[in-house]
Amino acid sequence: MGRVEDGVTAEELEDWDPGTSALPAPGIKQGPREQAGTGPLSQKCWEPEPDAPSQPGPALWFRGRAHTQALAGGSSLQQLDPENTGFIGAETFAGLVHSHELPLDPAKLDMLVALAQSNEQGQVCYQELVDLVSATVGRGVCGCGKLGVYKRFVRYVAYEILPCEVDRRWYFYRHRSCPPPVFMASVTLAQIIVFLCYGARLNKWVLQTYHPEYMKSPLVYHPGHRARAWRFLTYMFMHVGLEQLGFNALLQLMIGVPLEMVHGLLRISLLYLAGVLAGSLTVSITDMRAPVVGGSGGVYALCSAHLANVVMNWAGMRCPYKLLRMVLALVCMSSEVGRAVWLRFSPPLPASGPQPSFMAHLAGAVVGVSMGLTILRSYEERLRDQCGWWVVLLAYGTFLLFAVFWNVFAYDLLGAHIPPPP
């Protein structure tokens, strides 16, 4: 094969080091980049300094021009970007990637195609393209040289959550520390503060639900207070005791925070709250006399979605000891459900009314396997573009509508004997 522009061979492209050659021309600086996890490329890749002379075009100074010129098959980048905007049409670039004849890494080609297809405006930022090519030539996420503590944690999260090497590279390259995963951390902190407040007030830290004053909290879901709609969500801040709080908080931090780092606040908060709401509504239908406390509905939605995603992508997951960890997770989750069943039907202490139901755990697991799995399998893809997402959303909406009618009419029609509200 002939030599490409600037005397660079195809074999030398694989060993090219962007840090030692083809530096940008003076007077050019890189503009702000988008935040991590948003998908589309930044709208402004580079901008000239105020006093800098105009440049003849990105092909003369962008780092790594040999890579992109090789992909262009020797074509002039001025022809691909005649207005010197710093962008290349996504369709034009995707065609170049598929038609070039250089012996490049297949994983890198997949990454380049993903880069082109991820942009909603139909254009590829040239500078980010070069940076991405430079970051992925001959290296995976593991081969990123010396990394700081936080970047090592980001790499760990990538291998724990994502099943595809291309997605792992993409996440590792695009991740930014701001905004941080605040939702799961905030929920966990709020749950701990509420538990400490009620523990100090009741002077009881284990099996708090047996205290006569506990059910008087405005946060607990009680069938006698169904008209107070906020209780169908706020019960997640209350817990039976230290053992339930510790279990939920541990899973929220170990699984929820990494999931939020990868998939973003909006998707994970939606999944968690959907599990919480489904939990209380399921209890109101299947265990009509029981109250509900604890965030187990949301926790089981996150855990079930993650475990189902791991099982369905077993060959691609690179997390160590995945079989052992899967077994341990299932044992712990089953033990927590068993403990909830025991407390519901065989209370160890005298109680003034029924104890909290265990059905919220099961409802959260169903939400995780259905809605959660759809969300986790759609990394860097818009949910509204997927038919499966609308099917799951329709099913969940139908369940919500049925549960509302049940709570409004069924208790009176069936003559359910519910305990008096505290």
Side-chain angles (χ1 to χ4, degrees), residues 30-68:
Q30 184 174 326
R33 293 177 179 267
E34 65 171 4
Q35 298 298 328
T38 55
L41 302 176
S42 59
Q43 295 299 307
K44 191 174 185 180
C45 296
W46 58 274
E47 56 183 6
E49 294 182 352
D51 299 331
S54 61
Q55 300 294 324
L60 299 182
W61 57 269
F62 273 120
R63 289 166 42 185
R65 56 182 176 175
H67 287 73
T68 49

Side-chain angles (χ1 to χ4, degrees), residues 89-280:
E91 294 183 359
T92 301
F93 175 73
L96 292 175
V97 171
H98 287 297
S99 63
H100 89 290
E101 298 180 353
L102 291 178
L104 301 180
D105 183 7
K108 184 175 69 177
L109 295 182
D110 293 339
M111 178 68 74
L112 297 179
V113 174
L115 174 68
Q117 296 175 345
S118 67
N119 186 268
E120 295 181 351
Q121 287 73 34
Q123 54 190 10
V124 176
C125 172
Y126 191 88
Q127 180 61 57
E128 293 192 359
L129 161 66
V130 174
D131 290 345
L132 184 59
V133 174
S134 304
T136 58
V137 174
R139 296 178 295 181
V141 176
C142 288
C144 296
K146 295 183 178 179
L147 300 175
V149 176
Y150 182 74
K151 291 301 292 184
R152 289 181 180 273
F153 177 67
V154 171
R155 183 176 63 182
Y156 165 80
V157 169
Y159 277 99
E160 285 289 316
I161 303 299
L162 296 172
C164 179
E165 180 64 24
V166 173
D167 287 342
R168 287 191 285 262
R169 295 186 186 189
W170 178 262
Y171 169 74
F172 184 82
Y173 173 75
R174 301 290 298 173
H175 178 78
R176 302 291 183 271
S177 59
C178 185
V182 295
F183 175 75
M184 293 310 309
S186 300
V187 169
T188 303
L189 180 61
Q191 291 172 340
I192 294 175
I193 292 175
V194 170
F195 177 79
L196 292 177
C197 291
Y198 276 91
R201 176 184 173 184
L202 304 177
N203 193 25
K204 191 175 182 65
W205 304 96
V206 179
L207 299 179
Q208 289 184 348
T209 53
Y210 290 90
H211 196 285
E213 297 294 322
Y214 182 85
M215 289 298 172
K216 295 182 179 181
S217 170
L219 302 178
V220 174
Y221 166 80
H222 190 280
H225 291 308
R226 299 188 315 281
R228 302 175 184 179
W230 70 84
R231 291 175 178 256
F232 285 92
L233 285 175
T234 57
Y235 77 93
M236 70 180 185
F237 296 108
M238 305 290 291
H239 287 81
V240 173
L242 184 61
E243 67 286 353
Q244 186 188 24
L245 174 65
F247 180 80
N248 287 348
L250 182 64
L251 290 180
Q252 287 174 178
L253 295 178
M254 291 185 61
I255 297 180
V257 170
L259 287 176
E260 185 179 349
M261 289 177 61
V262 173
H263 297 280
L265 181 148
L266 182 60
R267 292 188 176 191
I268 298 306
S269 61
L270 174 63
L271 175 58
Y272 185 87
L273 295 178
V276 170
L277 182 58
S280 57

